[in-house]
Amino acid sequence: MASVVQSSVEPTRALVGGNRLKFIVAGGVIALAVAYLVTMGLQGTTVYFLTVSELQARGTAAQNQIFRVSGNLVPGSLAHDASGLGIHFSIADASSDAASPLTVVYRGGQVPDIIGDNIEIVAEGKLDATGTFTASNVLAKCPSRLADAQPTERDYQASD
């Protein structure tokens, strides 16, 4: 009688162990699928931030890839298209004269009000085969009026 009871318990243990293994494998597959989806999602939204000279140093390898490029607006290079829907301008590195200016074309979007000579510009877009950067988004860094202000010293004393 004891052997009959023991034999009926053995298949139950084997079944439980098999289910446990199935759950571990299924959990591993789900974890790998989630990791893959997160990686692919981040690759699509990751954009490299470069200076003009760094972008130009990449050469033809940088063509048709999305980048954010930072540089100062070259004085006198800002021009509006005849249609009035776009602008084109040149940006260059602020600290280095080694890089030639990068021509940027931007159409159909909101142009920052602060855009002007020697203002730092961040353009997001793609470099084409002719070396022109076609921007899908243009940001202008607002110069701080407090950047050159001298700090005011104050003597704060505890009040009674």
Side-chain angles (χ1 to χ4, degrees):
M1 183 83 162
S3 63
V4 173
V5 172
Q6 194 175 30
S7 64
S8 66
V9 172
E10 290 293 327
T12 307
R13 285 186 185 163
L15 196 83
V16 170
N19 283 341
R20 194 174 295 162
L21 180 63
K22 287 179 186 178
F23 283 124
I24 291 172
V25 170
V29 169
I30 290 171
L32 287 174
V34 168
Y36 173 77
L37 291 174
V38 167
T39 302
M40 296 312 291
L42 288 176
Q43 280 182 343
T45 59
T46 303
V47 178
Y48 290 106
F49 186 82
L50 304 171
T51 63
V52 173
S53 59
E54 290 171 341
L55 179 67
Q56 291 172 341
R58 290 183 178 225
T60 58
Q63 291 177 359
N64 296 320
Q65 294 182 16
I66 298 175
F67 292 103
R68 284 190 182 136
V69 181
S70 174
N72 285 1
L73 187 78
V74 175
S77 67
L78 179 64
H80 292 272
D81 289 347
S83 65
L85 297 176
I87 59 172
H88 59 276
F89 53 90
S90 295
I91 58 174
D93 290 341
S95 60
S96 173
D97 295 328
S100 60
L102 177 68
T103 303
V104 179
V105 176
Y106 178 61
R107 291 187 182 91
Q110 184 74 17
V111 178
D113 292 336
I114 193 78
I115 198 166
D117 294 346
N118 294 318
I119 296 292
E120 186 177 349
I121 303 291
V122 176
E124 182 178 342
K126 295 181 179 182
L127 185 67
D128 64 14
T130 63
T132 301
F133 192 81
T134 304
S136 58
N137 193 9
V138 173
L139 303 170
K141 184 177 178 184
C142 182
S144 176
R145 53 191 175 99
L146 300 176
D148 296 326
Q150 295 296 322
T152 304
E153 289 188 30
R154 300 205 175 160
D155 187 16
Y156 294 103
Q157 297 180 1
S159 60
D160 292 329

